[in-house]
Amino acid sequence: MLDGNAVAGLLQEVFGTDVTAATGTCASCTAVDAVGAVHVYVAAGVVLRCPHCGSVLMRVVRSDKRLWVDLRGLRSLQLESI
Amino acid sequence: MAGAAVLGRLTWRVATVLDVRPETARAKTLVLGVDGWPGHRAGQHLDVRLTSEDGYQAQRSYSIASAPRQDRLELTVERIDDGEVSPYLAGDDLREGDRFEVRGPVGGYFVWRSDAAGDVLLVAGGSGIVPLMAMVRQRAEETSPVPTRLLYSARSWDDVIYRDELERLAGAGFEPLFTLTRSQPAGWTGYARRVDASLLGEVAPTPPAATFVCGPTPFVEAAASALVGLRHPPERIKTERFGPTGG
């Protein structure tokens, strides 16, 4: 198990800016954490899980030249505007 | 809007190995030159991508060990025998002049700001020292007065990465403390036990303004929950875990 810090580059590909310092709200238990601090599992894709309840927050799968992103477990994301 | 289009975009760049330094039996430091490297902040990572002759690519994220500067940077890589990337980076075949791709810097969470006020506690387990060393080095280069205490847990004295440099940097508000959990040299006067609430309570009797904890997942979980148990405010504790898939 890793944490959000380890997939900072992948998340920056998805969002176009760093989101590890952003805070996310878990749609399941409403806990709020920095994305850098959430649990990360790497297999065929990357799965971010809530460190409090274990629910899936986000899934990212790469295939060829596409990234598939599932955000249904993340109620909201709050980040500093540039 | 050409400026906006490139904002935050990551590009792969070629890194050239300028030097390789052994640190311990399993860890090596790679000094890299990267054309167009934009600089980094202490605690940030970069992604390394290796491409084999048949086109297969393997990618891993590594913490940057050096203090921020633009013309070169250092990674310290610990070899994980069944890893895909670390056996090459920390193996015997990597030579000065070898090249591979990197992108970054990435990450804005586990980052030390040298202008932040207040004392700092750094807690390292094994090669978790690497991003914390970038902070220690930046602090030294800027002759920052920020009181900084490092608690570094390793199996033995020979497993302590950067030990000579850490001992040399001691003083002027920087205090490195070592705990050796498996074996200790003769006459050892440092700690010889696992990082737990009682040890953290001795090392940090009052909560520092900022705490950074980095190491293997069980180490980080134990240290962070012990600190919270000691009534350190959770929002002042930043963690970085690495595990088997980090190889």
Side-chain angles (χ1 to χ4, degrees):
Chain A
M1 192 245 287
L2 300 167
D3 62 29
N5 300 302
V7 290
L10 175 68
L11 296 177
Q12 192 165 331
E13 269 186 75
V14 172
F15 292 97
T17 187
D18 176 65
V19 292
T20 58
T23 51
T25 304
C26 173
S28 180
C29 75
T30 71
V32 177
D33 285 282
V35 173
V38 306
H39 294 172
V40 166
Y41 298 82
V42 180
V46 169
V47 179
L48 281 70
R49 285 184 182 271
C50 174
H52 303 279
C53 74
S55 298
V56 174
L57 299 170
M58 194 189 309
R59 292 185 286 166
V60 183
V61 177
R62 185 192 299 279
S63 74
D64 293 327
K65 294 283 178 194
R66 304 186 79 79
L67 287 170
W68 178 86
V69 185
D70 174 356
L71 292 165
R72 85 186 88 171
L74 198 60
R75 174 171 296 176
S76 65
L77 194 63
Q78 202 178 124
L79 55 163
E80 273 183 45
S81 61
I82 300 166
Chain B
M1 297 293 283
V6 296
L7 194 66
R9 185 160 167 233
L10 282 175
T11 48
W12 290 101
R13 303 170 198 271
V14 175
T16 305
V17 178
L18 304 177
D19 194 16
V20 181
R21 280 198 314 265
E23 297 283 359
T24 65
R26 303 186 64 80
K28 285 185 179 175
T29 289
L30 316 181
V31 182
L32 303 176
V34 184
D35 278 342
W37 181 253
H40 68 275
R41 293 193 287 159
Q44 284 192 295
H45 291 225
L46 58 67
D47 290 343
V48 170
R49 181 166 75 178
L50 303 180
T51 306
S52 67
E53 283 174 17
D54 63 6
Y56 175 75
Q57 291 187 324
Q59 191 178 313
R60 290 291 183 276
S61 188
Y62 289 99
S63 290
I64 299 170
S66 46
R69 53 187 275 185
Q70 296 198 320
D71 56 334
R72 50 187 253 171
L73 58 91
E74 297 183 9
L75 303 183
T76 301
V77 180
E78 190 172 42
R79 195 178 66 243
I80 295 167
D81 290 331
D82 57 355
E84 275 193 315
V85 174
S86 69
Y88 169 73
L89 294 181
D92 296 328
D93 296 335
L94 194 75
R95 296 270 182 275
E96 200 181 308
D98 284 353
R99 290 157 181 260
F100 50 84
E101 289 177 292
V102 300
R103 69 176 182 186
V106 294
Y109 167 69
F110 197 81
V111 165
W112 180 62
R113 291 173 55 100
S114 61
D115 57 352
D119 56 333
V120 176
L121 172 65
L122 308 174
V123 183
S127 55
I129 185 66
V130 176
L132 307 182
M133 194 62 186
M135 301 174 192
V136 169
R137 285 169 165 162
Q138 183 178 2
R139 183 191 173 282
E141 281 188 13
E142 294 180 359
T143 57
S144 157
V146 171
T148 302
R149 194 168 272 191
L150 166 69
L151 176 61
Y152 181 176
S153 172
R155 289 173 186 172
S156 72
W157 192 232
D158 285 340
D159 290 308
V160 174
I161 304 172
Y162 317 125
R163 66 183 193 193
D164 295 344
E165 187 178 351
L166 285 168
E167 291 198 311
R168 197 171 63 243
L169 290 174
F174 174 61
E175 189 181 4
L177 301 165
F178 302 95
T179 184
L180 304 178
T181 55
R182 288 207 189 159
S183 65
Q184 302 81 32
W188 177 248
T189 55
Y191 295 109
R193 51 198 168 107
R194 293 201 170 275
V195 172
D196 58 13
S198 99
L199 181 49
L200 286 165
E202 276 178 49
V203 170
T206 55
T211 296
F212 293 87
V213 183
C214 185
T217 295
F219 176 89
V220 169
E221 303 277 333
S225 56
L227 288 167
V228 172
L230 291 165
R231 305 205 179 281
H232 289 227
E235 67 276 10
R236 294 194 206 165
I237 304 168
K238 290 190 173 173
T239 54
E240 180 163 306
R241 304 164 177 84
F242 57 82
T245 50

